[in-house]
Amino acid sequence: MMTIDEKEKQALLAASATLARRKFLGVAGTVMAAAVVAPARAGSLADVPARQVGPSISVASDRSKYVHLKRVTEATPGKLNVDPGLAINSKTPLDKLVGSITPSDMHYERSHSGSPDLDPDRHQLLIHGMTRKELVFSMDELRAMPCVSRLYFMECSGNGWENWKNADPELTVQDTHGLVSMHEWTGVRLAYLMELVGAERNSTWMLAEGGDAAGVARSIPLTAEILDETLVAYAQNGEPLRPAHGFPIRLLVPGMEGNLSIKWLRRLKFGNEPFMTRWETARYTQLLPNGKARQFQLYQEVNSVITSPSGKMRIRPGYNRISGLAWSGRGKIVNVEISTDGGVNWRQAQINAPVLHKAQVRFHQDWTWDGRPTRIVSRSTDDKGHVQPDRESLIATMGENALFHYNGQQTWAIDADGRVTNVLS
Amino acid sequence: MMTIDEKEKQALLAASATLARRKFLGVAGTVMAAAVVAPARAGSLADVPARQVGPSISVASDRSKYVHLKRVTEATPGKLNVDPGLAINSKTPLDKLVGSITPSDMHYERSHSGSPDLDPDRHQLLIHGMTRKELVFSMDELRAMPCVSRLYFMECSGNGWENWKNADPELTVQDTHGLVSMHEWTGVRLAYLMELVGAERNSTWMLAEGGDAAGVARSIPLTAEILDETLVAYAQNGEPLRPAHGFPIRLLVPGMEGNLSIKWLRRLKFGNEPFMTRWETARYTQLLPNGKARQFQLYQEVNSVITSPSGKMRIRPGYNRISGLAWSGRGKIVNVEISTDGGVNWRQAQINAPVLHKAQVRFHQDWTWDGRPTRIVSRSTDDKGHVQPDRESLIATMGENALFHYNGQQTWAIDADGRVTNVLS
């Protein structure tokens, strides 16, 4: 039998009288009731509900009527729960998910003119520019090519944007960090397509253009890393992409801001300088303290967030398991530390295996809360040596005008009543 | 830039005039039209469909209207596409999925009295028998405990049962092998719960009982491997279990026949001998050639199947990518070989990374079909040295009366017209 850490066991048993309380399936945005749930207790078969008959075999397993998963819609930073027609994004319910993979229908959405449902029999991909041939590929052709499947996180560069300026105490972790997701992606390697069209060796940039009405288009520098990892993807978690995620094909540039992973991909053009689309001149630039705008800040830097306990949950004194997610666009997470005293002392969290390159990882730490107000916070480190900064250090570098790439440590305050609230640090 | 294998590239380019053809999104069970799809060809922006506006941001990303994924229902072996009310299972559409993870709603179903949707606030788990304490745990208590997330395949021991006796040429790979799936499972380790209740050291068997009307119950031997790996799981692919998969909790015994992973788990009882439920005496036993029945044949042995091209698909001469899945209940897949001449010559397939313990892996191989009738077949090897047997060897050991644990090599015949058909070897 595996050995269970005796201290961990004793902490749990001692705390059993106040065990449990936060409800896994609660409705987002409501304050969790501090119900006193009966602890694990002596019992017999009479205590367990009777067996139940159920509906017959189905052709697709639906969710339980007791499970309520939905994304929250956002108009501008912090303007939440708006009519979907007015929203610019909708966010993954990180407070209700466990593990590291995101269900396909819960992947966050961000689009600039809605999500067209393109006909895969008509859709084509043009590859041209500095290439020996200008070729058009159908979906059947792309799907017949050699392919790979990889687990990668995807994150909007706007994730966490609320926290650049202020900390709304009404925000949940879905609100503050719900623009990140992880799937198993399947597609053709960009490098393979470049060989097919004979991309010229001195082409150093690539334009990728989407088939949505906005025609979102981005210039992508052809670094060794991007050439090695980028996919033209047609599947997520084993099934064809959902329309909101680029059906029938999208670009997938692992670890870089989500906006580079152009959805509804219709065109790749090779050149030797950036194409300077409005999506990288007027949009998706970073306003620096000196008033200048930084272009092509592409990496999603090392990041982490505690998903439980988190904003608007309520905990009770005693045993509490801290759980969260960590990721880095630079590589693999090698360490996550948690402070339960507002950043004074740090203790290493357990990281769930396998830990993969540019993938989200789930971390855990056991914690016994003494019932006094405190602040909990996580920080992650990747295999390139990057450490997630505290908010002060991040602001010192980037100023407070930046809108994108917030990766400051997320602090949750816990008051004497066990209420968990978003605070800046 | 990554180096593309020159031979692979030339094979693809040479074959481009006959590229593509099989339709990824075709409807299950229909013969694929041998449409001559235009090859990759010179083109310009005028060839690519115009940009399209789409519906606004949503709170859950639905599937494309062009994507048709559904499981096929089965009554008795080979009696397919029956009314769900009459079905005993429904099967994962392996012919339409890529990668290695199964979408939660496409996980195969097998139940004995339907799928109850249990109230998680009322559901409880009793742990008793040879334990120091008899305890009852609520869902909130279980979810608050230390947990792990792991990618494991799950397979019904009846997977492939049609092939013990005969080879129906009308079967697709969904029909022959659709009782296997893979998810990321999250839950509490059985070993942790055993410490909490103080399971006695000389308890060598455990009874697990489900909360469905049939009260499916199985005796599980407490081997070191089972103690190390077994979970009481409450989530699949990041979200709560679906009712058909045991919501709110199920046992998860990795690598063993799916029936051990009791759904709607209500009771674990420890003892020192098997409990001899009817699910292991009358059902789920294996009839041997000598007329005796073998009990407790639990491992899902090393297995593999080519999912494309597969039954009822149609291919054209020239380049074809062979793709499939391999798994072993004994451990990790270390090798997959493919024969395109009916088992005479074998060539190593590429295995998609990461390759994980008791997880499905996706394999690929490039192949240029010369247009002559042939047979294609795969065989896998695991890290314990087990090699997937051909059907003849399997029958020599087990006879033809067995119903469960078929892991013979799956052969697909291809006729002169490119039609792919299920055959025995």
Side-chain angles (χ1 to χ4, degrees), chain A residues 2 12 38-41 58 61 63-64 90 100 109 115 117 124 136 141 143 149 184 192 239 242 321, chain B residues 12 38-41 55 58 61 63-64 90 100 109 117 124 136 141 143 145 184 189 192 239 242 321:
Chain A
M2 281 287 296
L12 178 61
R41 62 217 154 280
S58 70
S61 313
R63 289 204 170 108
S64 165
S90 66
S100 62
E109 279 184 27
S115 297
D117 191 5
Q124 309 217 71
V136 174
E141 288 160 351
R143 289 189 204 109
S149 300
E184 182 193 53
Y192 188 88
E239 63 170 286
R242 305 277 173 120
R321 183 172 51 97
Chain B
L12 178 60
R41 60 216 156 281
S58 69
S61 313
R63 292 204 167 107
S64 165
S90 66
S100 61
E109 277 183 29
D117 191 5
Q124 309 216 72
V136 173
E141 288 161 348
R143 289 188 202 107
M145 291 180 187
E184 183 194 49
R189 295 182 56 237
Y192 188 88
E239 63 170 286
R242 306 278 174 118
R321 182 171 54 95

Side-chain angles (χ1 to χ4, degrees), chain A residues 193-209:
Chain A
L193 292 166
M194 287 173 68
E195 287 281 327
L196 285 185
V197 299
E200 291 175 17
R201 290 211 169 268
N202 58 343
S203 67
T204 50
W205 287 81
M206 174 180 79
L207 178 76
E209 186 189 63

